[in-house]
Amino acid sequence: MKIFNTLTRKKEEFVPITPGKVGIYVCGPTVYDFIHIGNARPMIVFDTLRRYLEYKGYEVNYVSNFTDVDDKIIARANKDNVAASYISEKYIEECKKDMEALNVRPATTHPQATKEIPDMIDMVQTLIDKGHAYEKNGTVYFRTRSFADYGKLSHKNIDDLEAGHRDEAHQLKVSGEDEKEDGLDFVLWKPKKEGEPSWTSPWSDGRPGWHLECSVMSKKYIGGTIDIHAGGEDLIFPHHENEIAQSEAANGTEFARYWMHNGFLRIANDNDEFEKMSKSLGNFKTVREICKMYDPVVVRFFMLSAQYRSPLNFSAKLIEASKNSLDRILTAADKLRDVIGKNNVAENVEDDAEALKELNTFVERFDAAMDDDLNTADAISVIFEMVKYSNTVCDKVSVDTAAKYYDVLSVLMNILGISIEKKEETLDADIEKLIEDRQEARKNKDFAKADEIRDKLLAMGIELKDTREGVKWKRL
Ligand code: AMP
Ligand code: ZN
């Protein structure tokens, strides 16, 4: 498999550190509110990466944190007059519910910053001991210029950054950070302000900086060098750049071998231009509200309709298009299920063999698309071709071949995190009754009444179809 590595800006063949095993760390959300569907993009994309690597036979250790101590959490807690931990615990639970709805599997470990403070203090001490960090009035800063490779991920030149910081000198004074040796230095540990959660440390009662938590938790749950580090592209600088500096300076080993960054989910503004969905712009939709409007499966399928590095525009029209596309696949699965139930024999043995050969080609092409830097857009196109072909041949092939098509479709869709199994849906008793009444009317040749009931059901969002196997219903 090839992965586009932000570090080298090239697609590189993926080779894990330990054969057969992969350690992935994905930066998770800061939990101060419901997550928005932009936050769901990395969750869905990298969950799909995990599923694909498992399909290829790797054992995956998937670690994704919750940032549960942060200015935004504290601000929200103060506003609601509750403890910060109340806010973070509440929104971790809500986030897990959203993930489940979107069929994002729980990580192997979901570490929380507040539960790993002793290890963070240890790493800060190591950095001080090695001359990469210093304390001033209870705050510990990372000495950025002490790390020669600073800027290697974001491809920024440290002197350009310095110039930028000089312009910000005034702001630094305002924020009280003028005590730093260098404008580029960043916080590893900061003292508490009145009313903030805090932990005892050799430097002050306070809390860790945001970047530090990922360096510490990835090391603890994966190791000093991790295979794949992932997150949204806004995290490249400064978050991931700072993680590298801290980890490599402290551990003396390479931090992460492959860096994967997803593009933004965008939404139209008042001028019909698409811009990043974000909390600060106020243009966000929560996963919770969107999943009330659309089946979460459709939302997941929509997220995978673009390759993960491309920007993806969100709109009702595009979600509708995804719904229709997914329906095509699910209808083909229904058809295969019907065919399998009929125990067909092949009309023509050669055509049957040909259909099996085609099936292998579809799988090869699906894998090739996914091997090309997780190109889910192309992989989905292959699935469309496969279901189109399946629709035309499934009546003519043997039941075994139809079953193989069904199984393969199921496996490929499961990699995308979507089940093709029929959901056992139950209808409300009054709807069941209407369907029975209509059958009765048809038996009595009272077609006017039968049509009337059919229209009534349609208005209730239930479409009936009379087939040779009997009456079937579908929710619209
Ligand atoms: P945050 O809670 O802001 O740290 O974000 C959690 C994750 O969601 C990070 O990996 C972000 O890069 C990602 N993210 C935030 N907004 C978007 C967006 N509009 N599109 C894609 N990813 C996003
Ligand atoms: Zn992180």
Side-chain angles (χ1 to χ4, degrees):
M1 179 181 194
K2 282 201 158 62
I3 288 179
F4 181 89
N5 190 349
T6 309
L7 198 60
T8 55
R9 290 182 167 162
K10 282 195 195 89
K11 276 188 200 170
E12 293 174 18
E13 191 59 38
F14 174 67
V15 184
I17 302 164
T18 310
K21 295 193 174 175
V22 188
I24 305 179
Y25 186 90
V26 183
C27 293
T30 306
V31 278
Y32 62 104
D33 206 341
F34 289 99
I35 57 163
H36 62 68
I37 51 170
N39 300 137
R41 191 173 189 198
M43 291 177 183
I44 293 172
V45 159
F46 299 118
D47 175 66
T48 304
L49 171 72
R50 173 191 192 178
R51 288 166 185 266
Y52 184 62
L53 289 169
E54 285 179 353
Y55 157 83
K56 291 185 74 111
Y58 290 106
E59 187 186 312
V60 182
N61 178 12
Y62 190 93
V63 179
S64 189
N65 67 306
F66 287 113
T67 296
D68 63 349
V69 58
D70 175 88
D71 289 344
K72 292 186 206 114
I73 300 172
I74 295 167
R76 174 72 194 257
N78 289 342
K79 188 170 143 247
D80 293 2
N81 212 7
V82 291
S85 57
Y86 174 84
I87 295 291
S88 55
E89 290 302 327
K90 172 175 172 179
Y91 289 109
I92 286 173
E93 286 319 304
E94 299 298 353
C95 178
K96 285 184 175 168
K97 285 184 206 158
D98 288 337
M99 286 168 64
E100 191 181 343
L102 294 168
N103 207 18
V104 171
R105 281 166 49 200
T108 317
T109 313
H110 278 294
Q112 290 173 230
T114 56
K115 299 191 173 149
E116 310 288 346
I117 304 286
D119 287 0
M120 295 195 206
I121 292 175
D122 282 352
M123 189 177 273
V124 175
Q125 190 60 57
T126 304
L127 288 169
I128 293 175
D129 294 346
K130 289 190 168 184
H132 289 292
Y134 58 94
E135 185 258 345
K136 281 271 170 77
N137 302 319
T139 304
V140 183
Y141 295 99
F142 185 85
R143 194 173 273 129
T144 301
R145 280 191 182 274
S146 74
F147 181 66
D149 281 341
Y150 195 80
K152 70 173 170 180
L153 180 72
S154 52
H155 305 272
K156 287 183 194 291
N157 179 306
I158 200 158
D159 294 317
D160 295 345
L161 288 169
E162 183 72 74
H165 268 275
R166 265 197 302 274
D167 300 340
E168 289 168 18
H170 170 68
Q171 282 174 341
L172 289 179
K173 281 214 157 42
V174 174
S175 67
E177 288 195 355
D178 54 335
E179 63 193 9
K180 293 199 278 192
E181 286 177 3
D182 186 332
L184 290 175
D185 297 348
F186 58 88
V187 171
L188 298 174
W189 184 267
K190 60 174 153 190
K192 69 166 183 188
K193 291 198 200 98
E194 192 50 40
E196 287 186 352
S198 67
W199 292 263
T200 304
S201 82
W203 317 287
S204 59
D205 280 1
R207 60 189 161 104
W210 169 42
H211 315 302
L212 188 69
E213 62 177 89
C214 293
S215 282
V216 168
M217 297 189 288
S218 60
K219 182 179 178 186
K220 178 161 176 190
Y221 294 101
I222 302 179
T225 304
I226 56 186
D227 290 298
I228 301 173
H229 196 314
E233 66 183 4
D234 54 332
L235 300 185
I236 299 173
F237 188 86
H239 185 52
H240 289 163
E241 198 67 76
N242 291 356
E243 281 185 33
I244 293 177
Q246 297 162 158
S247 293
E248 298 195 355
N251 304 334
T253 47
E254 187 184 14
F255 176 46
R257 311 223 354 222
Y258 300 85
W259 286 88
M260 294 176 81
H261 291 102
N262 65 273
F264 287 139
L265 183 80
R266 308 190 302 188
I267 189 162
N269 64 16
D270 292 343
N271 302 323
D272 277 343
E273 293 148 350
F274 280 93
E275 57 187 13
K276 179 194 171 185
M277 179 178 290
S278 78
K279 267 264 146 76
S280 51
L281 288 171
N283 60 358
F284 63 93
K285 305 254 182 245
T286 62
V287 168
R288 204 54 65 87
E289 65 186 308
I290 290 301
C291 289
K292 279 196 189 121
M293 296 158 72
Y294 307 96
D295 188 339
V297 171
V298 172
V299 178
R300 179 164 181 129
F301 190 66
F302 161 77
M303 287 286 185
L304 297 174
S305 65
Q307 201 266 356
Y308 73 93
R309 284 192 293 123
S310 320
L312 174 61
N313 294 338
F314 175 83
S315 71
K317 218 165 120 189
L318 291 170
I319 291 261
E320 281 302 330
S322 286
K323 179 179 184 304
N324 293 337
S325 304
L326 183 58
D327 273 350
R328 257 162 60 199
I329 298 172
L330 298 179
T331 308
D334 279 346
K335 192 166 169 188
L336 279 167
R337 257 194 307 269
D338 281 350
V339 169
I340 294 162
K342 281 196 223 148
N343 250 328
N344 277 356
V345 279
E347 277 182 11
N348 176 321
V349 182
E350 272 141 42
D351 286 351
D352 203 50
E354 176 67 24
L356 279 180
K357 221 172 89 196
E358 281 295 321
L359 183 61
N360 285 335
T361 315
F362 288 126
V363 174
E364 276 164 23
R365 289 176 55 210
F366 177 92
D367 288 0
M370 296 292 273
D371 279 344
D372 183 13
D373 194 26
L374 205 75
N375 195 332
T376 50
D378 284 358
I380 289 172
S381 303
V382 176
I383 293 184
F384 281 139
E385 283 184 50
M386 179 177 144
V387 297
K388 197 168 152 204
Y389 181 82
S390 160
N391 284 341
T392 58
V393 302
C394 68
D395 285 325
K396 307 186 190 84
V397 296
S398 68
V399 66
D400 282 355
T401 301
K404 285 203 175 97
Y405 264 81
Y406 187 82
D407 290 347
V408 166
L409 185 59
S410 174
V411 168
L412 301 187
M413 289 298 284
N414 267 326
I415 293 170
L416 303 180
I418 295 171
S419 165
I420 60 165
E421 298 301 321
K422 189 113 198 125
K423 273 192 242 156
E424 273 314 322
E425 266 199 288
T426 46
L427 288 171
D428 290 344
D430 54 335
I431 294 180
E432 292 274 18
K433 175 83 174 57
L434 283 170
I435 296 175
E436 274 169 32
D437 290 351
R438 178 172 169 273
Q439 291 300 84
E440 192 62 29
R442 273 161 57 92
K443 236 190 349 215
N444 300 334
K445 305 230 173 320
D446 185 352
F447 296 115
K449 182 165 178 204
D451 286 350
E452 192 189 309
I453 298 177
R454 181 211 287 270
D455 291 346
K456 194 167 168 189
L457 284 165
L458 211 52
M460 294 165 86
I462 302 288
E463 186 182 57
L464 297 186
K465 212 166 160 191
D466 297 306
T467 72
R468 266 183 292 166
E469 288 82 33
V471 61
K472 296 213 163 135
W473 60 268
K474 183 170 117 181
R475 243 184 248 285
L476 292 177

